[in-house]
Amino acid sequence: QVQFVESGGGLVQPGGSLRLACAASGSISSIYVMGWYRQAPGKQRILVASISTGGSTDYADSVKGRFTISRDNAKNTVYLQMNSLKPEDTADYYCNAPGSSRYLANYDWGQGTQVTVSS
């Protein structure tokens, strides 16, 4: 079973940027789609960005144009570049392989990385 370790979160001012990384314990080259999820306080964890092995990407409307997902199969790592951050982006961020809905995933969750956008 692949496990994920997320990193790169922190406190950033509105308008700032962060780059998150997700290191997998095993190969992700055979995992067709990888994604980043976020869970804001009091809300359900939800998929915000995904990328296929072929490089096709998809984004939630709330992050489209500001976030960019990428993957490096050789390093078994998935990235999320977050620009023009807003206070509403504050959440714990997780990576995983998307399941049958944008709320579900195929592997156990990692510990996540916390992103706080505040002045």
Side-chain angles (χ1 to χ4, degrees):
Q1 172 104 354
V2 178
Q3 295 178 319
F4 304 109
V5 178
E6 299 89 352
S7 62
L11 173 64
V12 63
Q13 292 186 340
S17 298
L18 282 174
R19 188 191 193 207
L20 307 184
C22 166
S25 63
S27 174
I28 64 169
S29 60
S30 62
I31 300 177
Y32 179 59
V33 178
M34 287 294 301
W36 279 95
Y37 296 73
R38 70 184 182 188
Q39 185 171 21
K43 295 190 176 180
Q44 201 169 356
R45 185 158 36 202
I46 190 170
L47 181 68
V48 296
S50 63
I51 184 168
S52 71
T53 51
S56 297
T57 58
D58 192 35
Y59 298 94
D61 288 343
S62 57
V63 307
K64 198 171 294 183
R66 300 187 298 119
F67 290 11
T68 302
I69 187 172
S70 60
R71 63 191 290 171
D72 185 336
N73 290 338
K75 295 183 178 180
N76 296 319
T77 302
V78 183
Y79 302 97
L80 187 67
Q81 178 66 43
M82 305 188 296
N83 299 328
S84 302
L85 282 162
K86 304 176 180 180
E88 51 264 43
D89 295 318
T90 295
D92 292 326
Y93 284 74
Y94 305 82
C95 71
N96 212 310
S100 57
S101 83
R102 56 185 177 155
Y103 301 101
L104 300 177
N106 288 330
Y107 297 91
D108 290 341
W109 296 103
Q111 86 286 350
T113 186
Q114 187 175 57
V115 173
T116 303
V117 185
S118 175
S119 55

